[in-house]
Amino acid sequence: MQQQYILLRGREIPDIWKLDVYLKHGGYEALKKALTMKPSEVIDVVKASNLRGRGGAGFPTGVKWSFIPQNEPIKYVVVNADESETGTFKDREIMETNPHQMLEGALIAAWAIQAKAVYIYARGEYWDLTHALDERIKEAAEAGFIGDNILGSGWSCSVYTHLGAGAYICGEESALLESLEGKLGQPRVRPPFPAQKGGGLYGEPTVVNNVETLTNVPWIILNGAEAYQKIGTPQSAGTKIFCVSGHVVKPGNYELPLGVTFRELIFDHAGGIPGGRQIKGILPSGGSGPIVPATDAVLDTPLTYEDMQKINTILGSASIIVIDETVDMTWVAARVTKFFKHESCGKCTPCREGTYWLDKVLDRIMAGEGKPSDVELINNIARNMAGMTLCALGDFAANPIIHTIKNFPEDFYKHVRAEEAKPAAKPAGRGKAREAAPVAGD
Amino acid sequence: MSLTDKKYAKRIEAAFAKYPDKRSAVMPLLYLAQEEYGWVSPEGIHEVAELCGLDPTQVRSIAGFYTMYSEKPKGQYWLHVCTDLACALRGADQFYAELLEDLGIQDGETTADGLFTVEHVMCLGACDRAPMLQCNFHFHENLDRDKMRALIDKWRAEAKQHMKTSGGSERAGD
């Protein structure tokens, strides 16, 4: 499969970040077209395209828009540019190299739900690019695409950026809204959901969409839902930006139709594994998605929402971290667990305490003090986190170590066996632990 | 000097103009306080609270929640090195150890001359260009020890020059 640039058009048209260049290449034509359509027609096109949320959850975008009640006077679009999943750097390239297309997509979404303002919530570390984005917004406003009575439509909409300040959790949509309101970035109890009155920004119905999701929208409006559906697979339409990092020769973003296999992506596009070493494991969705062993069956799996489920993992944000044979997977799990421990917002006890305990246990294991009973201990902590929290961080946080034990048992048990061989270990403890060990495979 | 200084008036006004609720300006104003004081000092917290109509305790809790607000004085150059998984697979741990060794400090410390504060942080979204660091929120990517040393030398020279021209009254590196 060849790279196909619907989003990363800066690869083919280097100065497309400039308004005049963007306009020369059909920029803001989709907005003009959308403004001639009824808002409900715009939603129908996006629904029919089967565009799914690119932030990780994969929820159908048009359906999300259709949840917004039409009779509410104040509505908002919030662009989730808080890209913080470990291994993810796609929205950054979009905003750096093709910012107007993202703005245009956000404006079309705003027209579709009749929003009065768009807020772009960018992670604080994207300091330089967000300040540059402010300039792009100014240019677009001067050209009449943002502000009062946009292109004579009678509809007015403002666009603002908001800088976060370093918190992974603010990528979770309800925590993002809290943060934008000037509160601690912690998830809300739902319902009400953001689309409902009382659940969105300042209590108003709000659509929250990822940068990459919205950047698809102008193309869909211009070329139609059918053309978009022809790319990818029936359930996973369109292209996707795959962020490839870790042990590959050419790390970077690759925009390819959904349905490309791991093998093509990692070996044909990203140049394979450096130094002739063997590939060992893949984290397909940063720290959040279950790690998979790089077997032939896995490598030949198409990267789609549906096929990732078949190999017991998720497509998520498609932040693909490649790991070679030199790496101890328990070390990987320990490192990712530190990420979740640091990023747990502290609101829900199971996640706040669970991530802390998992980190402590893994530190001890990595320090050579692993015990056979740790498997049961880890399973127990994980059981007490999964499904017990307001957001998915609590569900994700135990994934790294649980799936390492399941998929790379030798990498885990070698730390345990080392402990067993120590003369100080008590026989009674060993016996008990052997009984507990099979639980790891759950 | 404080946030009431007229040099901040326009930016404070711009922050409030973005939102229907004053409270939302707390994050941009905390960045201004950090720019003014070099960290989110008690004075800065009180001024932001006053401006947003919040209790200082609420503002302090927000400042404490996010990693990009510093709750203690820091060096003129605030370095964040990503040592998360994707960077670590490409040598970030060794890179960070070398940086600390070259500066003669430990994680989270500030050099004796007050120039550099160094911390390791979680993913910064530059995984394909590791090892990398962020200095006063600007990215420096695809680094190795030589490039890192060149950057440190450059910042040292820049700070020295700045001391000479400003008499040391203002902060370099912003």
Side-chain angles (χ1 to χ4, degrees), chain A residues 348-378:
Chain A
C348 308
T349 311
C351 174
R352 183 185 65 235
E353 298 300 315
T355 53
Y356 177 85
W357 276 102
L358 279 179
D359 181 52
K360 292 278 256 189
V361 171
L362 286 168
D363 272 353
R364 178 169 52 70
I365 289 171
M366 291 309 291
E369 303 290 322
K371 289 181 279 194
S373 57
D374 286 336
V375 177
E376 179 49 25
L377 180 61
I378 288 166

Side-chain angles (χ1 to χ4, degrees), chain A residues 119 123 161 164 202 246 335, chain B residues 18-19 24 31 83 90 93 123:
Chain A
Y119 286 93
R123 63 177 302 183
T161 59
Y202 308 115
R335 188 59 63 109
Chain B
K18 281 186 180 184
Y19 316 100
S24 283
Y31 276 125
T83 55
R90 300 184 77 84
D93 284 348
C123 189

Side-chain angles (χ1 to χ4, degrees), chain B residues 9 44 66 99 104 112 122 137 145 155 159:
Chain B
Y66 297 96
L99 174 63
M122 298 299 152
F137 305 157
R145 193 172 202 167
W155 289 324

